[in-house]
Amino acid sequence: MAFRRRTKSYPLFSQEFVIHNHADIGFCLVLCVLIGLMFEVTAKTAFLFILPQYNISMPSSESETIQYHYGLKDLVTILFYIFITIILHAVVQEYILDKISRRLHLSKVKHSKFNESGQLVAFHLSSLVWCLYVVVTEGYLTNPRSLWENYPHVYLPFQVKFFYLCQLAYWLHALPELYFQKVRKEEIPRQLQYICLYLVHIAGAYLLNLTRLGLILLLLQYVAEFLFHMARLFYFADENNEKLFNAWAVVFVVTRLFTLTLTVLAIGFGLARMENQTFEPEKGNFNTLLFRLGVLLLVCASQAWMMWRFIHSQLRRWREYWNEQSAKKRVIVAPRPPAKLIKRESGWLWEPVQEQLWSVPFPFPAQQPVLTCPLPKEVLPPGSQVPGISPAALRILGIKMVGKGSRVNESLSVSCFLPVSFRYETGYAPFLS
């Protein structure tokens, strides 16, 4: 990342050079624009990059107010703030996320997701506060009718237009960051999905003059996303900490309901009752039946897709949780310990190396003869008949057979008529006689 001391140098303008120094390159370009403000010849051009364009004075009851509308020059301003965002991205990564991740000792997969969530937490928190401030000061929360009244909302206050330009700059900067951050190939499709969804919705609200409704929907979305990525950060720090995920699940569902309700209310009912329902793109008016159906279809489809993914992930989590719980309740059969033969005066005796009970599991009722070891019941000399045990059972236990029947050629400790409560997991056919 930028601003880090390098111990290895790369060829100038090579691929690795650009990747490791992209924030420094962006900082130099931004510095050139700022230096241009110092000279009268280049100041006018520099202002194209820094300030929103297309301002117009609007008379009001008290005094004149300056309003803005969109145009092609906004692309220049967005480009400048893309470089600003790249620099801020590098600062957050270098001075905050990298220091925390070194202490957590995360794997490569978790490290990549930690960086992603860390960047999005910083962005969603700042955007959430900024968006809430704009919505409150403009009075969109206290007067819901303002979301569709006096449409089209061609002229915007400075803070509204600047907010939209910065939002577009951030999500456009996220596309080259996939290359600069060397994101894993498995993660690229997922990240491209939500980046493109944000760009489509924000640019659509900006270009179709639905900025007021777009601010409210972004505020709701950023609340849910902030909680989700905060939950992921706490989970990476402590895998037993999943309480924030439960809070996010509730907020996510409520957010989807409010988003659909506000969209249907503003587009389906509010704009449908407006008197001016003509297609006039030069005046910024797109209030037609086809336009309203297209917006409703886009918003409802995106919300349904997000809800489907949410339900699918929750079902998978619950399935994994119940599988873990059922696995804990299973009876674990102790493995057979290695045994060794020790010479005794009366013959040979099997003694396990580990002092623990092992037995052959049978799917039969209680009071069946079961070979156990070590149980010092009696020592059978070579050639003895083992009652109730078939030759197959002795063969499983590693006892060599002599002739027919259940005779052993080596002494064995036997305990009969013990309760059997083991599961039949060996895969062998029943071998009790």
Side-chain angles (χ1 to χ4, degrees), residues 128-160:
L128 177 62
V129 175
W130 188 4
C131 186
L132 182 61
Y133 173 79
V134 173
V135 168
V136 171
T137 54
E138 295 296 329
Y140 299 151
L141 285 180
T142 57
N143 184 19
R145 288 181 175 271
S146 62
L147 298 180
W148 62 83
E149 285 183 344
N150 301 323
Y151 180 84
H153 308 133
V154 178
Y155 299 105
L156 309 173
F158 171 82
Q159 59 181 356
V160 174

Coordinates of all heavy atoms in Angstrom, one line a residue, residues 128-160:
L128 N -23.3 7.3 6.4 CA -24.5 7.2 7.2 C -24.7 8.6 7.9 O -25.8 9.1 7.9 CB -24.4 6.1 8.2 CG -25.6 5.9 9.1 CD1 -26.9 5.6 8.4 CD2 -25.2 4.7 10.1
V129 N -23.6 9.1 8.5 CA -23.7 10.3 9.3 C -24.0 11.5 8.3 O -24.8 12.4 8.5 CB -22.4 10.5 10.1 CG1 -22.4 11.9 10.7 CG2 -22.2 9.4 11.1
W130 N -23.3 11.5 7.2 CA -23.4 12.5 6.2 C -24.9 12.5 5.6 O -25.5 13.6 5.5 CB -22.4 12.4 5.1 CG -22.3 13.5 4.1 CD1 -23.0 14.7 4.2 CD2 -21.5 13.5 3.0 NE1 -22.7 15.5 3.1 CE2 -21.7 14.8 2.3 CE3 -20.5 12.7 2.4 CZ2 -21.1 15.2 1.2 CZ3 -19.9 13.1 1.2 CH2 -20.2 14.3 0.6
C131 N -25.3 11.4 5.2 CA -26.7 11.2 4.6 C -27.8 11.6 5.6 O -28.7 12.3 5.3 CB -26.9 9.8 4.1 SG -28.4 9.6 3.2
L132 N -27.6 11.2 6.9 CA -28.6 11.6 7.9 C -28.6 13.1 8.1 O -29.7 13.7 8.2 CB -28.2 10.9 9.2 CG -29.2 11.1 10.4 CD1 -30.6 10.7 10.1 CD2 -28.6 10.5 11.6
Y133 N -27.4 13.7 8.1 CA -27.4 15.2 8.2 C -28.1 15.9 7.0 O -28.8 16.8 7.2 CB -25.9 15.6 8.3 CG -25.7 17.1 8.2 CD1 -25.9 17.9 9.4 CD2 -25.3 17.8 7.1 CE1 -25.8 19.3 9.4 CE2 -25.2 19.2 7.0 CZ -25.4 19.9 8.2 OH -25.2 21.3 8.2
V134 N -27.9 15.4 5.8 CA -28.5 16.0 4.7 C -30.0 15.9 4.7 O -30.8 16.8 4.4 CB -27.9 15.4 3.4 CG1 -28.7 15.9 2.1 CG2 -26.4 15.8 3.2
V135 N -30.4 14.7 5.1 CA -31.9 14.4 5.1 C -32.6 15.2 6.1 O -33.7 15.8 5.9 CB -32.1 12.9 5.3 CG1 -33.6 12.6 5.7 CG2 -31.7 12.1 4.1
V136 N -32.0 15.4 7.3 CA -32.6 16.2 8.4 C -32.6 17.7 8.0 O -33.6 18.4 8.2 CB -31.8 15.9 9.7 CG1 -32.3 16.9 10.8 CG2 -32.0 14.5 10.1
T137 N -31.5 18.2 7.5 CA -31.4 19.6 7.2 C -32.3 20.0 6.1 O -32.8 21.2 6.0 CB -30.0 20.0 6.9 OG1 -29.4 19.2 5.9 CG2 -29.1 19.9 8.2
E138 N -32.5 19.1 5.1 CA -33.4 19.4 4.0 C -34.8 19.2 4.3 O -35.7 19.5 3.5 CB -32.9 18.6 2.8 CG -31.6 19.0 2.2 CD -31.5 20.4 1.7 OE1 -32.5 20.9 1.2 OE2 -30.4 21.0 1.8
G139 N -35.1 18.5 5.4 CA -36.5 18.3 5.8 C -37.2 17.2 5.1 O -38.5 17.2 5.1
Y140 N -36.5 16.2 4.6 CA -37.1 15.1 3.9 C -37.8 14.1 4.8 O -38.7 13.4 4.5 CB -36.1 14.4 3.0 CG -35.5 15.3 1.9 CD1 -34.2 15.0 1.5 CD2 -36.2 16.3 1.4 CE1 -33.6 15.8 0.5 CE2 -35.6 17.1 0.4 CZ -34.3 16.9 0.0 OH -33.8 17.7 -1.0
L141 N -37.3 14.0 6.1 CA -37.9 13.1 7.0 C -39.2 13.6 7.6 O -40.1 12.9 7.9 CB -36.9 12.8 8.2 CG -35.7 11.9 7.8 CD1 -34.8 11.7 9.0 CD2 -36.2 10.5 7.3
T142 N -39.2 14.9 7.9 CA -40.4 15.5 8.5 C -41.5 15.7 7.5 O -42.7 15.8 7.9 CB -40.0 16.9 9.1 OG1 -39.5 17.7 8.1 CG2 -39.0 16.7 10.3
N143 N -41.2 15.7 6.2 CA -42.2 15.9 5.2 C -42.1 14.8 4.1 O -41.4 15.0 3.1 CB -42.1 17.3 4.6 CG -43.2 17.6 3.6 OD1 -44.3 16.9 3.6 ND2 -43.0 18.6 2.7
P144 N -42.7 13.7 4.3 CA -42.5 12.6 3.3 C -43.1 12.9 2.0 O -42.6 12.4 1.0 CB -43.3 11.4 4.0 CG -43.4 11.7 5.4 CD -43.4 13.2 5.5
R145 N -44.1 13.8 1.9 CA -44.6 14.2 0.6 C -43.6 14.9 -0.3 O -43.8 14.9 -1.5 CB -45.8 15.1 0.8 CG -47.1 14.4 1.4 CD -48.2 15.4 1.5 NE -49.4 14.7 1.9 CZ -50.3 14.2 1.1 NH1 -50.1 14.3 -0.2 NH2 -51.4 13.6 1.5
S146 N -42.6 15.4 0.3 CA -41.5 16.1 -0.5 C -40.8 15.1 -1.4 O -40.0 15.6 -2.3 CB -40.6 16.9 0.4 OG -39.9 16.0 1.3
L147 N -40.9 13.8 -1.1 CA -40.2 12.8 -1.9 C -40.7 12.8 -3.3 O -40.0 12.4 -4.3 CB -40.3 11.5 -1.3 CG -39.7 11.3 0.1 CD1 -39.9 9.9 0.6 CD2 -38.2 11.7 0.1
W148 N -42.0 13.2 -3.6 CA -42.5 13.1 -4.9 C -43.2 14.4 -5.3 O -43.5 14.6 -6.5 CB -43.6 12.0 -5.0 CG -44.8 12.1 -4.1 CD1 -45.9 12.8 -4.4 CD2 -44.9 11.5 -2.9 NE1 -46.8 12.7 -3.3 CE2 -46.2 11.9 -2.4 CE3 -44.2 10.6 -2.1 CZ2 -46.7 11.4 -1.2 CZ3 -44.7 10.2 -0.9 CH2 -45.9 10.6 -0.4
E149 N -43.5 15.3 -4.4 CA -44.1 16.6 -4.8 C -43.1 17.4 -5.6 O -41.9 17.4 -5.3 CB -44.5 17.4 -3.5 CG -45.8 16.8 -2.9 CD -46.3 17.6 -1.7 OE1 -45.4 18.4 -1.2 OE2 -47.4 17.4 -1.3
N150 N -43.6 18.3 -6.5 CA -42.8 19.2 -7.3 C -41.8 18.4 -8.2 O -40.7 18.9 -8.5 CB -42.1 20.2 -6.5 CG -43.1 21.1 -5.7 OD1 -44.2 21.4 -6.2 ND2 -42.7 21.4 -4.5
Y151 N -42.1 17.1 -8.5 CA -41.2 16.4 -9.5 C -41.3 17.0 -10.8 O -42.4 17.4 -11.3 CB -41.6 14.9 -9.5 CG -40.7 14.1 -10.4 CD1 -39.5 13.6 -10.0 CD2 -41.1 13.9 -11.7 CE1 -38.7 12.9 -10.9 CE2 -40.4 13.1 -12.6 CZ -39.1 12.6 -12.1 OH -38.4 11.9 -13.0
P152 N -40.2 17.2 -11.6 CA -38.9 16.6 -11.4 C -38.1 17.6 -10.5 O -38.1 18.8 -10.6 CB -38.3 16.6 -12.8 CG -39.0 17.6 -13.5 CD -40.4 17.7 -12.9
H153 N -37.2 17.0 -9.6 CA -36.3 17.7 -8.8 C -35.0 18.0 -9.5 O -34.0 17.3 -9.2 CB -36.1 17.0 -7.5 CG -37.4 16.6 -6.8 ND1 -37.6 15.3 -6.3 CD2 -38.5 17.3 -6.6 CE1 -38.8 15.2 -5.8 NE2 -39.4 16.4 -5.9
V154 N -35.1 18.9 -10.5 CA -33.9 19.1 -11.3 C -32.8 19.9 -10.6 O -31.6 19.5 -10.7 CB -34.4 19.9 -12.6 CG1 -33.2 20.2 -13.5 CG2 -35.4 19.1 -13.4
Y155 N -33.2 20.8 -9.8 CA -32.2 21.7 -9.1 C -32.0 21.2 -7.7 O -33.0 21.0 -6.9 CB -32.7 23.1 -9.1 CG -32.9 23.7 -10.5 CD1 -34.2 23.9 -11.0 CD2 -31.8 24.0 -11.3 CE1 -34.3 24.4 -12.3 CE2 -31.9 24.5 -12.6 CZ -33.2 24.7 -13.1 OH -33.4 25.1 -14.3
L156 N -30.7 21.0 -7.4 CA -30.4 20.4 -6.1 C -29.5 21.4 -5.3 O -28.8 22.2 -5.8 CB -29.5 19.1 -6.4 CG -30.1 18.1 -7.3 CD1 -29.0 17.0 -7.6 CD2 -31.3 17.5 -6.8
P157 N -29.7 21.3 -3.9 CA -28.8 22.1 -3.1 C -27.3 21.5 -3.2 O -27.1 20.4 -3.7 CB -29.3 21.8 -1.7 CG -30.7 21.3 -1.9 CD -30.7 20.6 -3.2
F158 N -26.4 22.3 -2.8 CA -25.0 22.0 -2.9 C -24.7 20.7 -2.2 O -24.0 19.8 -2.8 CB -24.1 23.1 -2.4 CG -22.6 22.7 -2.3 CD1 -21.8 22.8 -3.4 CD2 -22.1 22.3 -1.1 CE1 -20.5 22.4 -3.4 CE2 -20.7 21.9 -1.0 CZ -19.9 22.0 -2.2
Q159 N -25.1 20.5 -1.0 CA -24.8 19.3 -0.2 C -25.4 18.1 -0.8 O -24.8 17.0 -0.7 CB -25.2 19.5 1.2 CG -26.7 19.7 1.4 CD -27.0 19.9 2.9 OE1 -26.2 19.8 3.8 NE2 -28.3 20.2 3.2
V160 N -26.5 18.2 -1.5 CA -27.1 17.0 -2.1 C -26.3 16.5 -3.3 O -26.0 15.3 -3.5 CB -28.6 17.2 -2.4 CG1 -29.2 16.1 -3.2 CG2 -29.4 17.5 -1.2

